[in-house]
Amino acid sequence: MTSHPGAVETQRLFFALWPEEALQSQIARMTTALLPNHLGRRVSEANLHCTLVFLGTVRPDQRLCVEAAADTVRVEPFTLTLDRFGYFRRPQVAWLGCQQTPPSLRSLVSQLGQGCAVCGFPPEHRDYAVHLTVARRIARDPGQLLVMPIDWPITRFALVASVHEDGGLRYHPQRFWELT
Ligand code: 2AM
């Protein structure tokens, strides 16, 4: 949280799919197998996640608002198959994603995005590109790397805070919502 005298306490927040620890380890191992060691900087295992809706700076009243919006989301549990390696040239990040975005994931992102718009967060107009960033500062496209597919059962989503800690960024889930 920010804490300037007289300032409103804000947080940097986003909604995400948050893997169980065992899956975070599996993804970290897969990244090590895929990317040569000298390429880029790995996202630390405990930070691995897939963003659904990025909010940025959030006031306490807005946090209550987005939490209420999340309460209204109706999506049944589904499976997300991570079966694709990708690279975004501009932010220079490598990621895992999926060949086919499940309709349930689109619905989840869309419901959350619409709810957050009501709380003052402009909706994202770009098509949702599911990606779980595994490494940053990769200057050159590593090309198409073959991924051993991982089936990730999605039973919940999280509101996550991004916090500066020990000279780096650490992501902390604040609250989970179960899909039913
Ligand atoms: P990235 O993994 O592609 O960098 C916390 O910062 C999470 O929110 C990260 O997953 C990051 O995506 C994403 N994020 C950061 N800034 C963003 C922005 N302006 N729009 C969308 N997502 C963003």
Side-chain angles (χ1 to χ4, degrees):
M1 289 210 189
T2 55
S3 54
H4 308 295
V8 180
E9 298 264 316
T10 59
Q11 285 178 293
R12 202 168 162 77
L13 298 176
F14 56 96
F15 283 103
L17 300 177
W18 195 264
E20 306 278 355
E21 275 180 34
L23 184 55
Q24 285 179 318
S25 303
Q26 192 180 348
I27 293 166
R29 283 197 303 274
M30 159 108 85
T31 305
T32 303
L34 281 173
L35 288 174
N37 260 335
H38 64 274
L39 267 191
R41 276 189 59 172
R42 304 284 177 278
V43 173
S44 66
E45 193 171 309
N47 269 353
L48 289 166
H49 69 277
C50 174
T51 300
L52 296 169
V53 173
F54 180 75
L55 300 171
T57 304
V58 178
R59 298 188 312 265
D61 61 302
Q62 288 177 308
R63 174 168 168 167
L64 290 176
C65 182
V66 297
E67 289 196 33
D71 288 340
T72 69
V73 165
R74 289 293 168 266
V75 175
E76 290 183 2
F78 59 96
T79 300
L80 182 61
T81 302
L82 299 173
D83 58 0
R84 179 179 171 199
F85 175 88
Y87 174 71
F88 290 148
R89 192 168 48 85
R90 271 228 310 197
Q92 300 195 330
V93 300
W95 46 269
L96 296 180
C98 44
Q99 306 277 358
Q100 303 239 306
T101 304
S104 297
L105 177 57
R106 287 196 186 282
S107 175
L108 175 56
V109 169
S110 151
Q111 290 182 44
L112 275 175
Q114 285 173 28
C116 293
V118 176
C119 307
F121 299 96
E124 173 67 70
H125 291 300
R126 288 175 301 185
D127 196 26
Y128 178 67
V130 51
H131 69 282
L132 187 157
T133 299
V134 292
R136 300 186 188 278
R137 298 196 206 159
I138 297 198
R140 279 204 197 156
D141 188 344
Q144 266 312 307
L145 304 179
L146 269 187
V147 171
M148 187 83 88
I150 296 177
D151 281 335
W152 179 7
I154 306 295
T155 58
R156 60 181 190 168
F157 65 92
L159 180 63
V160 184
S162 168
V163 177
H164 282 282
E165 230 173 63
D166 303 329
L169 273 181
R170 180 72 203 263
Y171 304 136
H172 293 282
Q174 306 285 292
R175 190 179 155 188
F176 287 97
W177 283 261
E178 301 295 325
L179 301 181
T180 51

